[in-house]
Amino acid sequence: MSKDHYLPQFYLRGFRDKHKQLHYCRVEFDTYRSTSTSGIYYSPGLNNIDLGKNGTFNLEEVFFKEKDNCYSKAFEDMREKYFYDIHEMPAQVKADIVEFVLGLYWRVPGGLKRVIDLLENEGIVDPYVDPNGRIYTNKDVPNIIQLLKENEEYQKVLMPTVYDENVAMHNWFDIDRKFYIYETYEPLIIGDIPFVPLKSENKRGKILEEFMIPLDMNHVLVYAENHPKFLESNLLYHFNLCVIDGASEKISCCDENYLKEMINRVKSIKERFGSMGIRNLKDKLLAPLIEFESQFDSFQDFVNRIKSDEFKNLATQEAIDHIINKFGQ
């Protein structure tokens, strides 16, 4: 059975060490291994669809291959032609990279179940024609949902439809303003769910409306209306923390020692936050931090604010309790 990668190898190659290896931690067993890009973030037969008497086909061939070829070229151009310079990078290259991330929403572990969630929440945009030629509309949604819940194969059948609808309905007009790349001074960590949502709704066009994602071991994309004008250690640290917190099975990095250090730190942090009733750090920490840091024109302005008496006066026990209660909601 074929190895179907939900994180494509063209993406993973940007995170390898000098020996072309990725170092990863298997979350369930807390074990560490090294591998090539072909040996991680895949599931055998993931993209095969068996519809019994209606036949068998492979999403890799009929859907993902053409898209991934386009995305791969965009990543190559970003790295080797434009050298991550967003002012030189054409809007189409940026759009292909953003579309790649929007597509990951459906491809990563748990993504297929989001097909059900979206149809329950939004219904059908356009009439859907099944392999037998039958036409479905919103009045058929309850029956479709029941079928999807009973058979994952039908989730795979409908996934390309919601994938393309979400891309088509995304707001592409502000892409140049929202697209911002930082170079990092420490390695970036990726999980089997590499992106961290900053602004997201269960609506077509609003899914991953804003997000952060590593582009390679030392470059991170912030795609947001309000983004910081600099990258400082606190933001980078919290981003890696959120990626680790959001991973479902494997967490990887180009540096095994750094990976172990970060995972041990996150365990301690999650325990402390857990004792205060705060869960799902990835959904609560990063967006407020980015919103706060986007207010400053330079790192020195940021430092001056943190050191100011005005800011220190805000850090009262009452204010801290208010923040904790807000996070815990």
Side-chain angles (χ1 to χ4, degrees):
M1 190 173 289
S2 63
K3 288 183 178 180
D4 295 335
H5 286 79
Y6 46 87
L7 294 188
Q9 292 190 68
F10 72 78
Y11 175 67
L12 297 175
R13 290 188 190 106
F15 299 89
R16 300 178 299 181
D17 67 12
K18 62 181 180 180
H19 303 294
K20 298 185 178 181
Q21 293 284 293
L22 276 171
H23 307 279
Y24 71 91
C25 172
R26 192 171 178 185
V27 176
E28 182 181 1
F29 303 106
D30 198 25
T31 55
Y32 291 82
R33 298 284 187 274
S34 299
T35 184
S36 65
T37 56
S38 65
I40 192 171
Y41 300 131
Y42 71 89
S43 179
L46 175 67
N47 294 322
N48 290 333
I49 303 180
D50 182 2
L51 295 176
K53 65 180 182 180
N54 294 318
T56 302
F57 65 98
N58 182 267
L59 281 176
E60 193 74 32
E61 293 298 322
V62 302
F63 187 72
F64 288 129
K65 187 174 182 179
E66 181 179 356
K67 290 182 178 294
D68 282 347
N69 286 341
C70 182
Y71 303 150
S72 176
K73 181 65 165 57
F75 270 79
E76 180 183 349
D77 286 349
M78 174 185 66
R79 292 165 177 165
E80 301 179 13
K81 186 175 182 179
Y82 303 111
F83 305 101
Y84 301 93
D85 187 338
I86 60 173
H87 303 294
E88 294 293 326
M89 204 179 298
Q92 186 58 55
V93 172
K94 298 176 184 177
D96 287 340
I97 292 169
V98 172
E99 183 178 326
F100 164 72
V101 183
L102 297 179
L104 288 182
Y105 184 84
W106 310 103
R107 298 174 71 170
V108 297
L112 282 179
K113 290 183 175 58
R114 292 171 173 159
V115 173
I116 298 175
D117 294 339
L118 187 68
L119 288 175
E120 285 184 316
N121 186 60
E122 286 255 278
I124 296 175
V125 173
D126 297 309
Y128 168 68
V129 182
D130 74 5
N132 291 323
R134 179 180 170 183
I135 299 174
Y136 294 86
T137 60
N138 275 319
K139 67 181 177 59
D140 302 301
V141 166
N143 292 332
I144 294 174
I145 296 299
Q146 183 64 31
L147 182 63
L148 293 177
K149 289 180 177 179
E150 292 174 354
N151 190 342
E152 188 179 82
E153 300 299 290
Y154 284 94
Q155 295 173 33
K156 294 181 184 180
V157 169
L158 279 180
M159 186 271 287
T161 301
V162 296
Y163 184 126
D164 281 339
E165 286 174 349
N166 183 53
V167 168
M169 297 175 72
H170 183 73
N171 179 9
W172 295 103
F173 294 104
D174 294 329
I175 187 168
D176 283 322
R177 184 161 57 85
K178 292 171 66 176
F179 195 98
Y180 207 84
I181 296 176
Y182 299 96
E183 184 172 4
T184 68
Y185 39 85
E186 290 184 351
L188 286 162
I189 291 171
I190 57 171
D192 37 21
I193 304 173
F195 54 82
V196 179
L198 301 177
K199 186 177 180 182
S200 179
E201 292 183 62
N202 191 16
K203 295 181 180 179
R204 293 175 181 86
K206 299 291 186 180
I207 292 168
L208 294 187
E209 190 174 5
E210 298 185 1
F211 58 81
M212 280 184 73
I213 187 171
L215 297 174
D216 62 25
M217 68 175 74
N218 285 119
H219 291 88
V220 59
L221 169 64
V222 177
Y223 185 71
E225 293 282 350
N226 298 311
H227 50 70
K229 301 170 183 64
F230 52 88
L231 181 70
E232 49 84 35
S233 58
N234 194 44
L235 178 56
L236 175 59
Y237 173 76
H238 279 86
F239 174 62
N240 274 336
L241 183 156
C242 289
V243 169
I244 293 172
D245 184 51
S248 65
E249 183 181 349
K250 291 186 175 71
I251 306 165
S252 60
C253 183
C254 64
D255 185 326
E256 183 174 340
N257 291 330
Y258 182 79
L259 179 63
K260 289 179 178 178
E261 178 186 346
M262 282 299 299
I263 288 178
N264 287 332
R265 279 195 204 173
V266 169
K267 288 178 183 176
S268 175
I269 290 171
K270 289 181 70 172
E271 287 177 2
R272 293 204 301 271
F273 274 90
S275 68
M276 295 185 288
I278 301 173
R279 303 288 188 273
N280 299 322
L281 301 185
K282 66 181 178 59
D283 298 325
K284 299 179 182 294
L285 286 181
L286 208 58
L289 184 62
I290 287 178
E291 185 70 26
F292 172 70
E293 294 191 8
S294 68
Q295 301 174 37
F296 304 99
D297 292 327
S298 70
F299 178 67
Q300 191 56 52
D301 290 340
F302 171 73
V303 172
N304 292 342
R305 175 68 188 280
I306 296 297
K307 290 182 176 180
S308 69
D309 290 337
E310 177 188 1
F311 187 81
K312 291 177 182 177
N313 290 337
L314 293 175
T316 62
Q317 187 60 49
E318 182 180 2
I320 293 171
D321 289 341
H322 174 73
I323 292 171
I324 290 174
N325 289 334
K326 183 177 179 180
F327 275 143
Q329 291 174 355

